Amino acid sequence: MLKKVLIANRGEIAVRIIRACREMGIRTVAIYSEADKNALHTTLADEAICIGPAPSNKSYLNVKAILETACLTGADSIHPGFGFLSENVNFAKMCEEIGIKFIGPNYKLIELLGNKSKAKETMKDAGVPVVEGSEGLIYSKEQAIEVAKKINYPVILKASAGGGGRGIRIAYSEDELKKQYDIVKKEAKNSFNDDSIYIEKYIENPRHVEIQILADEYGNCIHLGERDCSIQRRNQKILEETPSTIISHATRKKMGEIAVKATKKIGYANAGTIEFLVDKNQKFYFMEMNTRVQVEHPVTEMVTNIDIIKEQIKIASGEKLNLSQDDIKINGHSMEVRINAENPDKNFMPCPGTITGLHLPGGNGIRVDTAIYSGYKVPQNYDSMLLKIIVHGKTREESISKMKSAIAELVIDGIDTNVDFIYEILKNENFKNNNYDTSFIHKEYGM
Ligand code: ADP
Ligand code: ADP
Ligand code: MG
């Protein structure tokens, strides 16, 4: 078993990983930026090392400083969390080269799957249904127009290196396509330093349903059911739940089996998520595979009683999965909401600042994953997510009631958050009645 894990992340996910390690008797090393001197992850870990100034590229993305810290502190492994270096091929490769276990899949698979266009081709070959679109990358506007003519409008242009909902644009006509092409190219170059793009059919009114995978280094693989993440703003999730209310038992089984088969075929080990779009006729299409733990992993933990972070660590330690598909029983319903320091009325603009007062909800079936506390100063340099509330009920109705009562109790003073906006969603009749898709927020609230 691994003995000392360096956590190359911050915020609630760093805290989540530190806690899992502590339960397992594994020592932890936190890294922090100058802006995070008083952060919770810095305080909670067994050791904490400052690795640079506030900007991410000088600290949480500073590969050299992080690897040196791992060596100096004698860490045998690095957990990257999500975001930051979690899907960085070079980082995972360097870890391997210096004999530090990267808690995630082999860098070659990160490379393959991080290129969304290549990943799509690979999955197609592995027998997974994919959205119709360009074969590989698009190299010119003319080519984009050609493909769009073949698959018909609307189409969606996507950055092959994209993530976090960025580098995605829809076009309903040739004129729009011409404009969006330039925008996506630019956005992809700026955000990912890689302007390669691909094009696919825009699936109208779909649900986003993803399968959680666990696979060990000996070819054993299971899935932990699905998560429905259709409630999104700007292609980014803000509320997730499991089970999904849209898919039938047969579709669930089929999606799970296909996801497991594909994972085995590509030789993937560790936790991973295969994201699908599901249309009105229960047809589903591969979108991308995320080669890391996801923000919304807790809902799966609630209904399966499996700790996904601990499983990641066990797999990275070289243990065999001690679970079979038949061991996985889905118990009840779970829902998560992401509370962000942002202003929904100003196009979800981030709102950093100092939290002057805080009361967190609790109680039966209510879990809060966060790193904030009263007096905490939310830095402007990082992601705006403050906390996740996760509830576990017998039914979806019970989960919604629990979530509403938890949110009614929550107090965050001093900064703007999306709490009221999330409460509106929970009260929305179409949401309650299962009458929604990925464009819900746009349609209901004009955002
Ligand atoms: P998911 O994990 O379900 O794919 P998202 O795609 O919305 O969820 O969010 C994951 C991505 O968003 C990360 O890869 C990262 O780019 C960014 N992100 C979200 N929250 C954080 C955070 N607390 N710290 C760093 N990056 C974050
Ligand atoms: P990211 O890497 O940023 O998470 P994804 O490829 O997972 O990007 O897409 C993010 C979201 O964009 C999806 O959850 C979905 O709502 C929307 N989306 C992506 N591709 C399509 C498509 N072909 N048709 C309709 N919506 C799509
Ligand atoms: Mg995605």
Side-chain angles (χ1 to χ4, degrees):
M1 181 61 71
L2 298 173
K3 290 198 170 57
K4 195 170 187 180
V5 177
L6 180 144
I7 296 107
N9 213 300
R10 63 181 302 283
E12 64 85 22
I13 191 63
V15 170
R16 166 81 186 84
I17 297 163
I18 291 168
R19 287 176 177 153
C21 289
R22 184 149 295 157
E23 281 180 50
M24 296 172 88
I26 298 172
R27 289 188 62 79
T28 52
V29 181
I31 54 163
Y32 64 96
S33 71
E34 283 164 14
D36 277 340
K37 193 164 168 276
N38 300 313
L40 192 60
H41 77 283
T42 309
T43 319
L44 280 186
D46 295 316
E47 288 167 63
I49 308 284
C50 182
I51 47 149
S56 300
N57 60 348
K58 300 243 161 66
S59 49
Y60 298 103
L61 294 174
N62 186 343
V63 170
K64 188 166 172 283
I66 294 171
L67 293 179
E68 276 170 10
T69 305
C71 293
L72 284 171
T73 55
D76 54 16
S77 51
I78 295 183
H79 197 307
F82 50 69
F84 296 124
L85 296 168
S86 61
E87 289 163 295
N88 185 304
V89 180
N90 212 24
F91 181 67
K93 187 163 178 246
M94 283 169 85
C95 286
E96 186 177 306
E97 280 166 4
I98 62 170
I100 286 185
K101 184 72 189 177
F102 177 81
I103 304 178
N106 183 278
Y107 71 88
K108 288 182 188 137
L109 283 153
I110 303 180
E111 185 162 35
L112 176 71
L113 298 164
N115 179 325
K116 288 162 75 171
S117 160
K118 231 197 273 172
K120 205 175 147 183
E121 298 302 310
T122 307
M123 286 294 169
K124 198 173 158 188
D125 293 342
V128 183
V130 300
V131 188
E132 200 185 0
S134 56
E135 272 174 42
L137 299 176
I138 289 281
Y139 295 97
S140 70
K141 219 177 262 188
E142 292 67 43
Q143 193 191 352
I145 293 167
E146 274 310 300
V147 176
K149 265 193 196 132
K150 227 188 282 162
I151 60 176
N152 293 323
Y153 290 93
V155 298
I156 187 162
L157 281 161
K158 297 168 80 171
S160 193
R166 279 168 304 158
I168 294 180
R169 283 284 188 291
I170 304 159
Y172 286 89
S173 65
E174 191 171 313
D175 275 349
E176 268 184 22
L177 180 63
K178 285 182 192 158
K179 279 186 215 128
Q180 305 288 40
Y181 182 89
D182 294 324
I183 295 173
V184 173
K185 273 266 185 212
K186 214 163 137 194
E187 200 172 39
K189 179 80 193 156
N190 290 341
S191 303
F192 314 110
N193 197 27
D194 176 354
D195 71 353
S196 49
I197 57 176
Y198 64 109
I199 189 168
E200 61 189 27
K201 179 84 190 148
Y202 178 64
I203 309 284
E204 293 193 77
N205 310 318
R207 288 280 194 113
H208 172 123
V209 181
E210 57 187 34
I211 302 284
Q212 174 70 54
I213 290 290
L214 287 180
D216 67 19
E217 292 173 349
Y218 309 95
N220 303 302
C221 178
I222 58 169
H223 71 86
L224 306 183
E226 82 282 5
R227 294 183 286 258
D228 190 316
C229 315
S230 303
I231 305 295
Q232 308 179 344
R233 57 123 173 79
R234 295 205 249 132
N235 299 315
Q236 229 192 351
K237 306 154 186 169
I238 54 170
L239 183 153
E240 305 95 346
E241 60 183 302
T242 185
S244 167
T245 46
I246 193 76
I247 59 170
S248 66
H249 182 65
T251 305
R252 171 175 300 118
K253 193 158 176 284
K254 203 164 137 202
M255 278 175 94
E257 283 168 4
I258 286 182
V260 166
K261 203 176 125 211
T263 307
K264 282 186 177 171
K265 187 147 182 200
I266 59 176
Y268 184 95
N270 214 276
T273 299
I274 304 194
E275 298 189 334
F276 294 99
L277 288 174
V278 183
D279 72 13
K280 278 163 291 200
N281 309 314
Q282 301 272 314
K283 278 183 91 170
F284 57 87
Y285 309 90
F286 170 81
M287 211 166 16
E288 65 163 337
M289 181 163 183
N290 289 326
T291 56
R292 54 174 164 86
V293 67
Q294 307 245 152
V295 175
E296 61 276 17
H297 76 278
V299 294
T300 302
E301 297 185 325
M302 300 301 255
V303 298
T304 58
N305 208 17
I306 291 169
D307 186 315
I308 293 172
I309 304 284
K310 284 190 190 169
E311 291 301 323
Q312 283 193 294
I313 294 171
K314 286 194 271 179
I315 293 166
S317 298
E319 282 193 12
K320 274 194 183 147
L321 270 184
N322 63 353
L323 295 158
S324 70
Q325 195 61 55
D326 290 340
D327 295 328
I328 309 306
K329 300 273 181 296
I330 305 297
N331 171 25
H333 180 276
S334 179
M335 183 176 283
E336 170 185 279
V337 298
R338 304 186 189 189
I339 308 290
N340 300 325
E342 65 184 17
N343 188 334
D345 296 331
K346 291 185 186 153
N347 198 22
F348 303 98
M349 189 178 77
C351 297
T354 300
I355 297 173
T356 53
L358 180 69
H359 171 77
L360 297 177
N364 186 11
I366 294 176
R367 163 176 168 183
V368 177
D369 279 17
T370 188
I372 64 170
Y373 49 84
S374 188
Y376 174 71
K377 185 166 175 278
V378 182
Q380 59 173 18
N381 311 80
Y382 314 110
D383 193 87
S384 61
M385 191 168 71
L386 294 175
L387 76 150
K388 309 188 300 207
I389 305 177
I390 305 106
V391 298
H392 188 200
K394 276 201 277 302
T395 60
R396 183 170 193 259
E397 289 65 42
E398 193 177 55
S399 286
I400 294 177
S401 305
K402 269 185 200 284
M403 190 62 89
K404 278 164 69 183
S405 103
I407 287 185
E409 215 188 289
L410 175 69
V411 180
I412 304 175
D413 287 332
I415 55 170
D416 286 335
T417 71
N418 62 346
V419 172
D420 294 342
F421 181 62
I422 297 229
Y423 199 77
E424 283 303 312
I425 296 173
L426 295 165
K427 283 196 311 191
N428 184 294
E429 287 300 318
N430 283 331
F431 174 70
K432 280 199 279 197
N433 297 330
N434 196 21
N435 182 21
Y436 63 91
D437 55 62
T438 54
S439 60
F440 171 81
I441 288 179
H442 179 69
K443 278 189 204 142
E444 297 282 323
Y445 305 100
M447 292 161 171

